[in-house]
């Protein structure tokens, strides 16, 4: 996918526990060194599969964002702008649960219609579910918040950082983004 930075909330150990105002992504996109930024709301959900609970990684992404560029649609279609409670699922998950386009899943107790099956180079994604960000924020009651975002940097404009020199983002004003 070409991601250079994955940003999560400061002092949080993993993305699932992160909580960031999505307005931060708009501010980051204004930076001349940033080529692309894609927000995500990520959570581990339990799917009921034949009476057994199965943990599945669910990612809410903005439909048609660059985050989908590496996914190959195998059946149905990709998410598109204006979609509500729909989902695309990884091919491993589709085979495991025996579902595909036209079927329904319960995510956070709410119905989502499967519109596509995809293949990814990432095995977590192949066993996971992608849904429209706004729909997932609503069922999670986290409107306006994300767990993290990915950034692609324009390497011609971005300074070259030497990790031995300390934190390259030290001077970045993260507090400003929280306002």
């Amino acid at each position: 996918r070409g991601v250079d930075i994955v940003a999560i909330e400061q002092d949080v150990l993993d993305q699932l526990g992160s909580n960031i105002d999505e307005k931060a992504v708009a501010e980051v996109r204004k930076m001349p060194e940033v080529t692309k930024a894609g927000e995500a709301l990520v959570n581990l959900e339990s799917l009921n599969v034949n009476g057994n609970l199965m943990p599945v990684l669910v990612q809410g992404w903005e439909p048609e964002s660059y985050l989908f560029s590496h996914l190959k649609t195998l059946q149905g279609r990709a998410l598109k702008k204006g979609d509500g409670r729909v989902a695309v699922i990884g091919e491993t998950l589709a085979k495991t649960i025996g579902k595909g386009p036209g079927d329904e899943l319960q995510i956070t107790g709410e119905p989502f219609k499967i519109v596509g099956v995809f293949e990814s180079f990432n095995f977590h994604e192949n066993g996971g579910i992608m849904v429209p960000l706004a729909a997932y924020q609503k069922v999670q009651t986290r409107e306006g918040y994300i767990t993290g975002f990915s950034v692609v940097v324009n390497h011609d404009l971005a300074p070259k950082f030497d990790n031995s020199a300390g934190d390259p983002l030290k001077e970045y004003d993260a507090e400003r983004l929280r306002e």
Side-chain angles (χ1 to χ4, degrees):
R1 197 169 345 178
V3 171
D4 294 301
I5 300 168
V6 175
I8 65 172
E9 184 179 5
Q10 186 176 356
D11 299 324
V12 172
L13 296 178
D14 67 66
Q15 186 172 358
L16 299 180
S18 181
N19 198 42
I20 300 171
D21 188 327
E22 67 185 337
K23 293 175 190 165
V25 181
E27 291 298 313
V28 169
R29 283 188 179 113
K30 293 177 187 175
M31 301 170 124
E33 302 86 1
V34 173
T35 302
K36 302 176 213 174
E39 53 270 79
L41 177 59
V42 180
N43 201 12
L44 196 58
E45 298 277 352
S46 294
L47 287 186
N48 187 332
V49 180
N50 301 322
N52 297 306
L53 293 180
M54 181 176 128
V56 176
L57 193 65
V58 177
Q59 299 190 66
W61 290 351
E62 197 61 53
E64 301 178 17
S65 82
Y66 85 94
L67 296 174
F68 288 95
S69 64
H70 69 289
L71 301 182
K72 178 182 175 187
T73 300
L74 302 177
Q75 297 175 35
R77 65 171 177 85
L79 299 181
K80 59 185 180 184
K81 291 182 183 185
D83 274 345
R85 289 189 188 168
V86 298
V88 293
I89 63 175
E91 69 172 332
T92 302
L93 180 63
K95 289 175 186 173
T96 301
I97 65 175
K99 293 191 180 224
D103 293 328
E104 193 175 271
L105 293 169
Q106 293 287 318
I107 301 174
T108 313
E110 298 292 335
F112 279 73
K113 182 180 177 184
I114 300 170
V115 295
V117 175
F118 64 86
E119 175 185 46
S120 172
F121 64 83
N122 181 309
F123 74 93
H124 292 294
E125 292 175 352
N126 276 329
I129 302 170
M130 285 17 167
V131 298
L133 177 61
Y136 198 40
Q137 287 171 318
K138 187 169 182 138
V139 299
Q140 287 279 315
T141 62
R142 294 177 75 176
E143 290 97 332
Y145 289 90
I146 56 176
T147 53
F149 57 96
S150 300
V151 177
V152 176
V153 173
N154 179 336
H155 292 280
D156 292 333
L157 295 177
K160 304 292 182 219
F161 294 118
D162 176 0
N163 287 341
S164 66
D167 182 1
L169 301 176
K170 185 168 100 178
E171 294 180 28
Y172 183 71
D173 185 8
E175 288 298 319
R176 183 174 53 89
L177 294 178
R178 291 186 189 154
E179 296 173 353

